[in-house]
Amino acid sequence: MKLNSKLIHGGVDGDKTTGSVNVPVYLTSTYKQPRFGENLGYEYSRTGNPTREAVEKLIADLEKGIRGFAFASGMAAITAVLNLFKSGDKILINDNLYGGTFRVIDKIFSNFNLTYEIVEDFNNYNFDNVDESVKAVIIETPTNPLLTITDLEKVSEKAKKAGLLTIVDNTFMTPYLQNPLDFGVDIVVHSATKYLGGHSDTVAGLVVVNSEELGKRLHFIQNSTGGVLPPFDSYLLIRGIKTLSVRLDRHLENARAIVEFLQEQDAIEKIYYPGIKEHPGYEINKKQARGAGAVISFALKENYDFKKFIDSLELITFGESLGGVESLLCHPATMTHAALPEEAREALGINDRLLRLSVGIEDKNDLIDELSRALKNSKN
Ligand SMILES: Cc1ncc(COP(=O)(O)O)c(C=O)c1O
């Protein structure tokens, strides 16, 4: 089955018992056991629920993995993956990882002596000298919010040789645009709150692993720690995923039009988008992904006031998150990346004038008109 068909028929396709084209929402916490020592495949919904299982099978299919897991948020999914490690272990992480991922590593897991090293450029990182405590690499490509690109094949090959697991947050790309497991990556995580759900109506997280062994360990962690995705949210996610390809095609078309518009504007100091040739990751992204995504970050010039820009928005929603059908603009320095220490943020280029636009699927001309007006209003 091709990807566009898998989005609709992958995982569990409808309901065999009634013919319902949608997977039923099994709102149950427990299951009747017909007799002592017997059950019908389910005992308790933290351990397994048919609606959750349907979305877990679907994401495993889409990411071409062995087993999938659905969690109550992207952070719950990432937390479960971090639970694979133990005190004394160390992980290598991207330098502009999502702020919440950095926060859970820096402020929660550090209490359990799981340490980390920030890697500025994984593409040229020397894995030959990593010490024995290093167990994994955590990558976002593109990163959030600077859209830097990491070569998945090169890094996962080197990591594997050094005995490390490679974990990729594929939220920005989705399986429609990128399949990290194809490049030797071991674990994929998603904030399904974003493009997979697609309608800004549910918070969810997914994990896909490439081996039975990791599958068993992750299921043990999921059941033990309990941050599972509820049945109704599992259903919403399945529903969202059905339209992923049509939504993303429009997201990409709009993003291209907006980048072209921004490139012509005198008000813009810098555009961060892996779909333009000037972007340092352009070639690598082209090799490993089927598009550059629909998140664009851009920095206003010094003589433009970012607050006036934000306050001029009417059609574009000012708020956290991304990947919904509506365009969303966020101010990373005070929102998504507020958890990063100020010096680290400034050094990376996440300053006050940096804005991140998640391009929605509205009419692209309306979006361009809105940006044009906001730029005019924000000139000092
Ligand atoms: C790349 C990335 N990973 C993980 C997360 C966390 O996901 P959630 O908000 O669903 O917990 C986010 C949230 O913005 C994100 O952008």
Side-chain angles (χ1 to χ4, degrees):
M1 219 193 294
K2 301 271 193 301
L3 182 61
N4 282 339
S5 308
K6 271 195 200 171
L7 291 168
I8 293 148
H9 300 289
V12 176
D13 192 12
D15 176 35
K16 297 273 177 297
T17 54
T18 61
S20 155
V21 294
N22 288 313
V23 170
V25 183
Y26 286 91
L27 289 172
T28 186
S29 60
T30 190
Y31 304 81
K32 182 175 175 178
Q33 306 194 7
R35 46 170 54 82
F36 183 77
E38 274 181 31
N39 63 55
L40 302 173
Y42 301 94
E43 296 162 6
Y44 188 62
S45 274
R46 170 160 40 75
T47 318
N49 174 283
T51 319
R52 190 176 86 231
E53 263 178 30
V55 76
E56 291 178 329
K57 287 192 171 135
L58 177 59
I59 193 65
D61 253 11
L62 298 175
E63 285 290 16
K64 305 188 222 173
I66 296 288
R67 195 160 169 187
F69 300 91
F71 293 89
S73 68
M75 286 319 304
I78 289 164
T79 298
V81 169
L82 290 170
N83 278 323
L84 288 167
F85 305 104
K86 56 183 193 323
S87 167
D89 288 350
K90 187 174 179 181
I91 50 180
L92 307 177
I93 60 172
N94 263 140
D95 66 351
N96 58 114
L97 217 53
Y98 167 62
T101 306
F102 178 73
R103 180 175 53 202
V104 78
I105 294 169
D106 183 51
K107 296 279 190 288
I108 308 283
F109 280 89
S110 60
N111 294 330
F112 303 95
N113 197 30
L114 175 67
T115 58
Y116 66 90
E117 179 187 318
I118 296 178
V119 173
E120 249 177 61
D121 178 10
F122 268 115
N123 293 326
N124 294 304
Y125 187 75
N126 184 359
F127 284 88
D128 294 340
N129 302 324
V130 293
D131 67 75
E132 279 192 357
S133 64
V134 179
K135 297 289 187 271
V137 164
I138 302 188
I139 297 168
E140 284 175 25
T141 179
T143 53
N144 180 5
L146 297 174
L147 290 307
T148 50
I149 299 294
T150 296
D151 189 324
L152 292 173
E153 193 165 22
K154 191 169 158 188
V155 172
S156 61
E157 194 183 315
K158 284 198 213 163
K160 199 151 283 164
K161 272 199 194 128
L164 319 184
L165 285 178
T166 304
I167 300 160
V168 171
D169 184 329
N170 203 27
T171 300
F172 274 41
M173 288 276 113
T174 82
Y176 184 61
L177 298 179
Q178 179 169 278
N179 291 112
L181 299 189
D182 278 351
F183 301 101
V185 166
D186 300 287
I187 302 177
V188 171
V189 297
H190 284 280
S191 168
T193 314
K194 312 292 160 28
Y195 293 102
L196 292 171
H199 297 76
S200 307
D201 56 5
T202 183
V203 173
L206 297 168
V207 177
V208 179
V209 297
N210 73 346
S211 74
E212 296 285 358
E213 195 255 339
L214 280 172
K216 274 195 192 130
R217 289 176 66 197
L218 242 302
H219 185 253
F220 183 79
I221 291 168
Q222 186 191 40
N223 187 38
S224 305
T225 57
V228 292
L229 190 65
F232 190 71
D233 297 73
S234 300
Y235 164 77
L236 280 179
L237 197 48
I238 294 169
R239 184 164 105 139
I241 289 172
K242 284 185 198 291
T243 56
L244 183 70
S245 61
V246 284
R247 281 186 285 110
L248 266 172
D249 286 345
R250 176 74 83 83
H251 280 295
L252 292 173
E253 182 192 327
N254 285 1
R256 264 192 303 273
I258 287 175
V259 165
E260 280 167 22
F261 163 79
L262 291 174
Q263 281 176 317
E264 285 166 7
Q265 303 309 306
D266 192 43
I268 306 297
E269 190 173 83
K270 188 163 181 184
I271 301 172
Y272 300 85
Y273 184 63
I276 52 178
K277 291 217 170 86
E278 304 78 63
H279 189 285
Y282 174 79
E283 290 297 339
I284 299 172
N285 189 66
K286 214 168 117 188
K287 181 184 77 165
Q288 66 193 17
R290 297 175 284 275
V295 175
I296 304 163
S297 291
F298 54 93
L300 298 176
K301 282 197 177 145
E302 271 182 23
N303 54 332
Y304 284 78
D305 183 334
F306 75 91
K307 288 185 189 148
K308 282 190 196 155
F309 181 90
I310 291 167
D311 290 343
S312 304
L313 300 176
E314 285 169 11
L315 177 69
I316 298 173
T317 307
F318 176 56
E320 304 240 2
S321 202
L322 59 107
V325 288
E326 60 285 293
S327 293
L328 275 162
L329 183 117
C330 100
H331 184 241
T334 55
M335 295 164 92
T336 49
H337 289 69
L340 278 186
E342 193 181 334
E343 319 84 71
R345 238 190 294 127
E346 288 282 341
L348 286 170
I350 309 178
N351 59 32
D352 271 350
R353 286 176 289 112
L354 184 80
L355 298 165
R356 188 192 75 189
L357 177 64
S358 165
V359 180
I361 64 171
E362 300 94 340
D363 190 293
K364 59 188 172 209
N365 295 315
D366 286 341
L367 295 173
I368 289 171
D369 286 350
E370 165 110 328
L371 292 171
S372 174
R373 199 172 37 75
L375 289 175
K376 270 193 203 104
N377 289 349
S378 58
K379 190 164 185 192
N380 280 328

